[in-house]
Amino acid sequence: MKIEIPENTAFAFSAVDPETIQNLEDEYTLVSIAEDVSPSTNMLRDEMCQGMKTVNLACKKAPRADKVMLHCTRFGSRIEEIHGFKPVNDIDENDYTPSASIGGSTCLYDAIFNAVAAVARYAEILDKSDIGSNAIIFILTDGMDNSSSLGVQSILDKIEEIKMKEILESVKIIIIGFNDPKSGYAKEV
């Protein structure tokens, strides 16, 4: 099923229809990975790809891996969905390969906001089916942002909204920094 994010209709995501989920009394963990594929990360793609595979494998080793839904995007000048929320055990981590650049700039804050908004929106949908959820978001990036339409405050406001509405039991954001010391960007990060 395709789902739009109300605050940013330019971005939508796909997900497993809650009506197809078994064991509705259980809580699910929603995981979202966003990979920076802007030009400044060209020399880091192999490492970032390995990071995505590591997150996927770690989720599969979780004691409740059968209750983990994983969503994956990549971003540069725009955000592209690699795959929507689906059971982590249905994902072959070898499908993650180093990506080509998307445009010539980086919309890091937009990507973080969209990852947060996607887990929140899917959690709302699951909640309507009496399925609880928590979330963890992994951002793989060199930390540069030069083209986002949203800022840090928008991300903080969205997290506050999640807390106020009690949409998720918990939400964690982990930013994994990558840096190529040979890059001209290294001094800026």
Side-chain angles (χ1 to χ4, degrees):
M1 68 191 278
K2 197 74 165 167
I3 305 162
E4 285 191 356
I5 296 174
E7 303 88 346
N8 187 355
T9 56
F11 184 76
F13 63 95
S14 57
V16 172
D17 187 334
E19 293 187 18
T20 66
I21 298 173
Q22 298 177 5
N23 301 323
L24 295 180
E25 72 280 356
D26 283 330
E27 179 178 86
Y28 278 76
T29 297
L30 307 178
V31 178
S32 187
I33 305 171
E35 176 195 19
D36 183 345
V37 294
S38 62
S40 63
T41 65
N42 280 341
M43 300 303 293
L44 305 167
R45 298 290 162 70
D46 289 335
E47 290 85 358
M48 287 187 166
C49 180
Q50 188 57 48
M52 291 172 54
K53 289 179 180 184
T54 300
V55 170
N56 180 286
L57 289 169
C59 290
K60 287 180 177 179
K61 290 180 181 177
R64 293 176 43 90
D66 60 325
K67 305 296 179 206
V68 174
M69 297 282 202
L70 194 121
H71 169 253
C72 195
T73 60
R74 61 175 64 104
F75 63 94
S77 297
R78 65 186 181 284
I79 301 163
E80 293 179 356
E81 185 175 66
I82 297 171
H83 62 77
F85 286 101
K86 60 184 181 178
V88 71
N89 291 324
D90 292 352
I91 301 167
D92 181 355
E93 65 278 353
N94 294 313
D95 289 345
Y96 297 136
T97 57
S99 303
S101 290
I102 299 176
S105 58
T106 312
C107 61
L108 173 62
Y109 301 142
D110 290 353
I112 295 171
F113 179 88
N114 279 307
V116 171
V119 297
R121 181 72 182 108
Y122 194 42
E124 284 179 323
I125 291 166
L126 292 175
D127 187 58
K128 288 178 182 168
S129 296
D130 294 322
I131 302 170
S133 55
N134 58 61
I136 185 164
I137 298 164
F138 294 91
I139 309 295
L140 288 73
T141 183
D142 65 357
M144 294 188 64
D145 180 283
N146 56 16
S147 69
S148 286
S149 59
L150 301 170
V152 174
Q153 191 59 51
S154 296
I155 298 165
L156 295 173
D157 291 346
K158 186 65 180 174
I159 292 168
E160 188 60 31
E161 176 189 323
I162 290 167
K163 289 178 186 176
M164 297 297 289
K165 289 184 175 180
E166 298 179 357
I167 297 168
L168 291 158
E169 294 291 322
S170 66
V171 61
K172 304 279 186 220
I173 300 173
I174 298 173
I175 299 175
I176 303 170
F178 290 82
N179 194 346
D180 178 6
K182 297 176 206 152
S183 166
Y185 300 110
K187 294 177 186 147
E188 296 178 35
V189 178

